[in-house]
Amino acid sequence: MNSPPLTQGNVALARLPRRERDNLRQRGEILDTALMLFAEKGYHKVSMQQIAKQAEFGVGTIYKFFANKQDLYRVLIMGTAEKWQRAVFQVLEQERNPFRAIQDYIAVQSELFFDNLPVVRLYYSEIKGAYFNVRSGFDQDLLKLRDERIKKLASVFEIGIKESIFRDLDPYHMALALHGIIDAFLYRMMEDPTRFRERDELSYAAEIFLGGVIKK
Amino acid sequence: MNSPPLTQGNVALARLPRRERDNLRQRGEILDTALMLFAEKGYHKVSMQQIAKQAEFGVGTIYKFFANKQDLYRVLIMGTAEKWQRAVFQVLEQERNPFRAIQDYIAVQSELFFDNLPVVRLYYSEIKGAYFNVRSGFDQDLLKLRDERIKKLASVFEIGIKESIFRDLDPYHMALALHGIIDAFLYRMMEDPTRFRERDELSYAAEIFLGGVIKK
Amino acid sequence: MNSPPLTQGNVALARLPRRERDNLRQRGEILDTALMLFAEKGYHKVSMQQIAKQAEFGVGTIYKFFANKQDLYRVLIMGTAEKWQRAVFQVLEQERNPFRAIQDYIAVQSELFFDNLPVVRLYYSEIKGAYFNVRSGFDQDLLKLRDERIKKLASVFEIGIKESIFRDLDPYHMALALHGIIDAFLYRMMEDPTRFRERDELSYAAEIFLGGVIKK
Amino acid sequence: MNSPPLTQGNVALARLPRRERDNLRQRGEILDTALMLFAEKGYHKVSMQQIAKQAEFGVGTIYKFFANKQDLYRVLIMGTAEKWQRAVFQVLEQERNPFRAIQDYIAVQSELFFDNLPVVRLYYSEIKGAYFNVRSGFDQDLLKLRDERIKKLASVFEIGIKESIFRDLDPYHMALALHGIIDAFLYRMMEDPTRFRERDELSYAAEIFLGGVIKK
DNA sequence: AATGAATGAGTCTTCATTCAT
DNA sequence: CATGAATGAAGACTCATTCAT
């Protein structure tokens, strides 16, 4: 048994047989509870019993929806990661101007960040870098998404270079650098998310990345 | 019992009583074995028995040197982290010219990276982002080091700004951005360290960071 | 988690929800098995695994009912001790005549002795005198019970002295002496309980204690 | 290997080869240290390592003198127990008058008590009642001593009965009762030994035992 | 279908004992 | 001979997973 992709919140569970709808709702409740607990205490410090109790289901019920503890975790992370990926790709594919595409890309990260704060928190506290180690297979999925994202970014840079908008540097490196800067800023924002609400903190990241730090 | 700082490889165990030297060697062997196993399988998937067997000691012997499993882990990570920190600070404090200081800072990361590849691997696969979660106290130490490093960097940028070498941006943001870029590049290098031997990959990071990506 | 008082044998598990009844039965079976093993081999020579196996439960099941090994032990001893205490106090408070109260006190010990032989055996083989040493806290409870009992006895002697029934000796010492005599006799009875069934052995204790040994 | 009887303090290690004398002194130091630690923390909470360290010997040295931990313990207890036994027998055999013999018996217990307080403390906190449980063999030795003592006492009572000094009760029961009273009083004295220095507390025990508690 | 009681494999850690030096 | 470093068996406890009701 391997769980189907995450189904949370904004999914259209509109016109489905009631049974199906109930199932989906239960699944969602379990995921929300698990997310909360994992983020709070860490994967290994949360037991299935705790999740079940907090979610007000029997443990058995969790196993209806998820093959095992790790699967539950995977769905939690991968679900958000894929949603994130889709949003990012959409932005990059919509805006034909490379410069504005990069700006939009940066901007959308902020939105996604605040929309998914709990998962982000979980991600940074346990996943960042293959939590389940190399042989879990699941971290590989995550790395693949990251790679696709960076490559997509690189392709935008490539166009921008051809159009003489960007300097003639290795596009992949540019993408990687952008990725790193955003990552560092998001981590910082996560440590104290309230502080950053006023002005979009990532705009600083954009400024530095795009303009460089040396005075001309 | 709280273990003294890590002793690995390059430590001068030159003129010590033989007993002391043996101890240090044993300690080192245990650390090396543990490092290997942790990096390969992950902290929770490695048992003390496994480490003992692999290192060809009795379990009891490990407890001669380390108070418990987490202590062994802590020594592994914090030992390298502190060494790293010292090296980085030395570089930043030695070079009075802010521009060259940043260049040196980037360069030294490469060296440290290749010198400590196994621990780096472990770091990225388990620690990055408070593995033991907020309540372990040990991840806090790690975050503190990171923070000190970034603040130190920021102070260099501040000077550079005053000297009109760098653009008048927030120094902390500049430091954070540099940190993120380096992080992303090191991670990339870790994924396939052979590829990058020819030319110091981080020099690309420097170029992008310093010069920005927009064509002027 | 701290286990509720012992539930053994004579407890009315009459009209309870079936689940509750099953729980109580299980708990009782575990207690009985543990008692048997502890009495036979001694606390430290019995492992939780052994208890579980002997009781035909999983180890985990024991931990459903008892917080830990010591808790299981505590319930075993303190449960009986408190029952014993209640019975003894009831006797002493019921009979207003001090002389008969003491007689009844002695008599009830016999009954309690035969009703709780296994625990008595355990008590004498491991507890008598603060088994877990001063720092367990649980032996303190036991000592407290003993002290209360002796003080209660002393108060009876005090009345008897005022009523000129007993010699004018220190009541506490009288109580202590009676306690000691009974203890010695019970211990003796425990060593070979069959021998003593014919005539209540403790009546000899009463005779000696009350009358003294010197011929007048 | 089974250790020879205890050798402590008052033993004449006068004219022995120096080697022998040294050995005996070492043995004694180990016993003293062990006694202290056992009494303080309890048998199971003291490790051989601790004893060795405290006594300033190597662990191996302890195993020169004692077959194993339990043997060390046994020597500690049985040594004192046998000394105690000898003293008690001597008193009972010396005094031909049964009444005075019993008085002397009671009196000598006080002396022995204060002379061996640490062992007494250990005895009451761990041994009282066959600590190592029925099959250790060593508690049997202890019980045997106890039994011999009571029987010896009984023989004195028997004579006293024949001489019409004591009431015509079962001599064994009388001995048992006396034993119990003394036990209870000693335990009480152990709980707070300072309190009892002024007047020999056991004399109260004697008064009660000999005279009984009923007013004539 | 949903439950949650029951399970027991697996883990860290201690410490009595051995034996090479 | 004395030492104490090294050993590894043993034990308490947790928790993911199963399955009878």
Side-chain angles (χ1 to χ4, degrees), chain A residues 49 58-61 64:
Chain A
Q49 275 82 346
V59 254
T61 309
K64 279 263 128 134

Side-chain angles (χ1 to χ4, degrees), chain B residues 26 57-61:
Chain B
Q26 288 189 348
F57 289 103
V59 253
T61 307

Side-chain angles (χ1 to χ4, degrees), chain A residues 83-94 100-116 120 149 153 178 182 186 189 200 202-203 206:
Chain A
K83 198 173 63 180
W84 195 294
Q85 190 82 339
R86 277 193 298 277
V88 157
F89 267 65
Q90 204 185 23
V91 159
L92 289 179
E93 279 162 3
Q94 207 162 266
R100 281 201 301 275
I102 296 302
Q103 282 184 316
D104 290 355
Y105 173 82
I106 295 170
V108 80
Q109 304 276 353
S110 270
E111 277 174 50
L112 287 165
F113 171 81
F114 288 112
D115 288 350
N116 299 279
V120 170
R149 196 154 73 243
L153 267 181
L178 178 53
I182 291 173
L186 289 186
M189 287 160 73
D200 184 352
L202 276 186
S203 64

Side-chain angles (χ1 to χ4, degrees), chain B residues 153-167:
Chain B
L153 268 181
S155 75
V156 174
F157 281 118
E158 201 166 5
I159 296 170
I161 293 167
K162 284 205 187 101
E163 298 181 1
S164 291
I165 294 169
F166 296 128
R167 290 171 60 204

Side-chain angles (χ1 to χ4, degrees), chain A:
Chain A
M1 170 179 173
N2 234 2
S3 299
L6 177 83
T7 311
Q8 246 177 335
N10 48 3
V11 166
L13 37 85
R15 283 309 91 191
L16 285 169
R18 200 178 59 71
R19 170 64 51 79
E20 296 273 326
R21 253 188 4 256
D22 281 1
N23 274 352
L24 243 27
R25 175 158 44 250
Q26 288 188 348
R27 203 180 120 99
E29 280 170 35
I30 291 167
L31 281 169
D32 288 345
T33 308
L35 173 55
M36 198 189 78
L37 288 171
F38 283 149
E40 186 187 343
K41 301 158 180 283
Y43 180 81
H44 281 103
K45 297 258 188 72
V46 174
S47 69
M48 294 300 265
Q49 275 82 346
Q50 276 171 61
I51 298 172
K53 185 164 204 181
Q54 184 79 228
E56 297 179 61
F57 287 103
V59 254
T61 309
I62 301 185
Y63 282 86
K64 279 263 128 134
F65 295 104
F66 307 96
N68 50 43
K69 192 183 178 188
Q70 197 181 125
D71 184 45
L72 168 57
Y73 192 56
R74 193 184 54 75
V75 170
L76 220 42
I77 298 297
M78 291 307 292
T80 300
E82 279 160 6
K83 198 173 63 180
W84 195 294
Q85 190 82 339
R86 277 193 298 277
V88 157
F89 267 65
Q90 204 185 23
V91 159
L92 289 179
E93 279 162 3
Q94 207 162 266
E95 176 55 64
R96 313 298 314 172
N97 177 291
F99 183 80
R100 281 201 301 275
I102 296 302
Q103 282 184 316
D104 290 355
Y105 173 82
I106 295 170
V108 80
Q109 304 276 353
S110 270
E111 277 174 50
L112 287 165
F113 171 81
F114 288 112
D115 288 350
N116 299 279
L117 199 46
V119 184
V120 170
R121 209 174 283 284
L122 179 55
Y123 170 79
Y124 276 111
S125 72
E126 300 238 49
I127 303 294
K128 189 66 199 303
Y131 173 62
F132 280 119
N133 78 66
V134 195
R135 58 204 73 19
S136 107
F138 143 36
D139 48 339
Q140 289 303 322
D141 295 346
L142 218 41
L143 287 179
K144 200 169 142 252
L145 290 187
R146 192 195 67 136
D147 232 51
E148 286 173 8
R149 196 154 73 243
I150 293 179
K151 281 193 179 126
K152 185 69 183 176
L153 267 181
S155 74
V156 174
F157 283 117
E158 201 166 4
I159 297 170
I161 292 166
K162 284 208 187 100
E163 298 182 1
S164 290
I165 294 170
F166 296 128
R167 290 170 59 203
D168 187 13
L169 303 164
D170 178 59
Y172 189 86
H173 287 148
M174 295 166 90
L176 195 56
L178 178 53
H179 175 79
I181 293 182
I182 291 173
D183 204 44
F185 272 73
L186 289 186
Y187 189 81
R188 175 91 190 135
M189 287 160 73
M190 186 203 66
E191 292 180 305
D192 181 3
T194 56
R195 173 168 24 153
F196 296 93
R197 291 272 179 182
E198 15 178 337
R199 189 229 214 256
D200 184 352
E201 193 75 356
L202 276 186
S203 64
Y204 296 115
E207 189 170 4
I208 293 167
F209 174 73
L210 294 170
V213 298
I214 307 176
K215 195 159 195 171
K216 303 289 163 46

Side-chain angles (χ1 to χ4, degrees), chain C:
Chain C
M1 170 180 173
N2 235 0
S3 298
L6 177 83
T7 310
Q8 246 177 334
N10 47 3
V11 167
L13 36 86
R15 283 309 91 191
L16 284 171
R18 197 176 60 71
R19 170 64 49 77
E20 296 273 327
R21 253 189 2 259
D22 280 1
N23 271 353
L24 244 27
R25 174 157 44 250
Q26 288 189 346
R27 203 181 121 100
E29 280 171 35
I30 291 168
L31 279 169
D32 289 346
T33 307
L35 174 54
M36 197 190 79
L37 288 171
F38 283 149
E40 186 186 343
K41 300 158 179 284
Y43 179 81
H44 281 103
K45 295 261 188 67
V46 174
S47 71
M48 294 302 266
Q49 270 84 347
Q50 276 171 59
I51 298 172
K53 187 163 205 179
Q54 185 77 228
E56 301 188 313
F57 289 102
V59 252
T61 307
I62 302 186
Y63 284 88
K64 284 254 135 126
F65 294 104
F66 306 96
N68 49 45
K69 193 183 178 186
Q70 200 182 121
D71 184 45
L72 169 55
Y73 193 55
R74 193 184 54 74
V75 170
L76 226 38
I77 298 297
M78 290 306 292
T80 300
E82 279 160 5
K83 200 174 61 180
W84 196 294
Q85 189 83 338
R86 277 193 298 276
V88 157
F89 266 65
Q90 205 186 20
V91 160
L92 289 179
E93 280 162 2
Q94 208 164 266
E95 176 54 64
R96 314 296 315 172
N97 177 291
F99 183 80
R100 282 200 301 275
I102 295 302
Q103 282 184 318
D104 290 355
Y105 174 81
I106 294 170
V108 80
Q109 304 275 353
S110 270
E111 278 174 50
L112 287 165
F113 172 80
F114 287 113
D115 287 351
N116 298 281
L117 198 45
V119 182
V120 170
R121 209 174 283 283
L122 179 55
Y123 170 79
Y124 275 111
S125 73
E126 299 237 48
I127 301 295
K128 189 66 199 303
Y131 174 60
F132 280 120
N133 232 300
V134 194
R135 43 203 112 344
S136 110
F138 143 35
D139 48 339
Q140 288 304 321
D141 295 347
L142 220 39
L143 287 179
K144 199 168 142 253
L145 289 186
R146 192 194 66 134
D147 233 52
E148 286 173 8
R149 196 153 73 240
I150 293 180
K151 280 192 181 128
K152 185 71 185 175
L153 268 181
S155 74
V156 174
F157 282 117
E158 202 167 4
I159 296 170
I161 292 166
K162 284 207 189 98
E163 298 182 2
S164 290
I165 294 169
F166 296 128
R167 290 172 58 207
D168 188 12
L169 302 165
D170 178 59
Y172 189 86
H173 286 148
M174 295 167 89
L176 195 55
L178 177 54
H179 176 78
I181 293 182
I182 292 173
D183 204 45
F185 271 73
L186 290 186
Y187 190 80
R188 176 86 190 139
M189 288 161 72
M190 185 201 69
E191 290 180 306
D192 182 1
T194 57
R195 172 167 25 151
F196 297 92
R197 291 272 179 182
E198 14 178 337
R199 188 232 216 255
D200 185 351
E201 193 74 358
L202 275 186
S203 63
Y204 296 115
E207 190 169 2
I208 293 167
F209 174 72
L210 294 170
V213 296
I214 308 175
K215 193 160 195 171
K216 303 290 162 44

